[in-house]
């Protein structure tokens, strides 16, 4: 009987070669070091400082700060509204991006410019505009000032462009030949969208949704005038944090900021997992 075992002197040709990573050049290493230092100065160190400040009084003080009735109501309103607005933006933002890429119509360039206005407009000015349109002196006859719908509307205004601008370039790069080939083989438009287009757009939609949610939970300027900042009713976390700072209670402000940081991080991770699963199934 001939043995099939590999001898120590015999090369294992069936084994997969191990690829060694390319070493960084001096220029690349310098660039990486500068980038990480800049990122640390702007993001990592400030975030770490917030977490350290939040833990100064210990766990009991931290828990008391975030479970305070008024603070808990602000967190619930902010996170819940930001989540609902993100769901709306996923649908409407994708539809707007589709219209801008796939359709031609009069005023398309003007619409492209208008979509970016929330990016360029100071949020306090956005709040003034929204108050003029949907306040007591509304020319439309709609008065939602100092109500929860006002918070929802303000979030919608400031987060509108995120999904549109992340999905639009990806959609523009998709090859129409693949869609036409699938339809020629009998696939319906819905099947083409679900099996071909949507998996390609999912990473961009997830990125836009994460940006939309993060912007929502951190919004302040557009809410100051329209929502009224009523405790237990329309007060959001950004206003609650400012109130804590004005009362010289930095530990409480840092505790609320830490909770928002943890929630935002969890949502980003969840969206990443969902989009990976959808791409894999697609």
């Amino acid at each position: 009987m001939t043995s099939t075992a590999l001898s120590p002197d015999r090369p294992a040709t069936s084994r997969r070669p191990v690829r060694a990573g390319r070493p960084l050049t001096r220029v690349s290493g310098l660039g990486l070091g500068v980038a990480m230092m800049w990122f640390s100065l702007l993001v990592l160190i400030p975030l770490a400082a917030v977490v350290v400040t939040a833990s100064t009084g210990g766990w009991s003080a931290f828990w008391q700060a975030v479970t305070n009735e008024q603070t808990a109501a602000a967190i619930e309103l902010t996170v819940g509204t930001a989540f609902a607005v993100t769901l709306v933006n996923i649908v409407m933002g994708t539809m707007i991006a589709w219209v801008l890429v796939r359709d031609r119509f009069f005023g398309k360039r003007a619409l492209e410019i208008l979509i970016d206005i929330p990016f360029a407009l100071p949020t306090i000015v956005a709040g003034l505009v929204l108050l003029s349109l949907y306040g007591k002196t509304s020319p439309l006859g709609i008065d939602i000032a100092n109500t929860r719908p006002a918070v929802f509307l303000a979030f919608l205004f400031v987060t509108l462009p995120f999904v549109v601008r992340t999905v639009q370039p990806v959609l523009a790069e998709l090859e129409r030949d693949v869609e036409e080939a699938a339809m020629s083989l009998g696939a319906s438009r819905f099947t083409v969208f679900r099996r071909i287009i949507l998996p390609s757009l999912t990473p961009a939609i997830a990125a836009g949704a994460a940006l939309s949610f993060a912007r929502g939970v951190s919004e302040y300027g557009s809410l100051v005038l329209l929502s009224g900042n009523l405790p237990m009713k329309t007060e959001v976390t950004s206003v609650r944090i400012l109130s804590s700072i004005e009362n010289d209670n930095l530990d409480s402000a840092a505790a609320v900021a830490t909770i928002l940081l943890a929630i935002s991080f969890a949502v980003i991770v969840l969206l990443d997992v969902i989009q990976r699963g959808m791409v894999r199934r697609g």
Side-chain angles (χ1 to χ4, degrees), residues 78 217-221 223 236-243 260:
T78 303
V217 297
S218 64
E219 181 55 27
Y220 172 77
L223 295 168
V236 294
T237 50
S238 56
V239 176
R240 187 65 180 153
I241 291 173
L242 179 61
S243 299
L260 293 182

Side-chain angles (χ1 to χ4, degrees), residues 88 179 244 270:
V88 174
E179 302 172 33
S244 298
L270 177 62

Side-chain angles (χ1 to χ4, degrees), residues 26-107:
R26 291 184 178 181
V27 176
S28 299
L30 178 62
L32 177 61
V34 171
M36 289 305 299
M37 182 181 67
W38 186 252
F39 179 74
S40 299
L41 289 173
L42 291 181
V43 179
L44 294 182
I45 294 177
L47 291 181
V50 170
V51 175
V52 170
T53 303
S55 61
T56 301
W59 171 253
S60 59
F62 177 88
W63 184 251
Q64 183 178 0
V66 298
T67 56
N68 174 276
E69 187 177 7
Q70 186 174 346
T71 301
I75 293 175
E76 179 183 359
L77 173 62
T78 303
V79 175
T81 306
F83 181 76
V85 166
T86 300
L87 293 180
V88 174
N89 284 333
I90 288 174
V91 178
M92 297 306 300
T94 304
M95 290 179 59
I96 293 173
W98 182 280
V99 169
L100 291 176
V101 173
R102 296 296 177 93
D103 296 331
R104 294 183 179 181
F105 53 90
F106 176 77

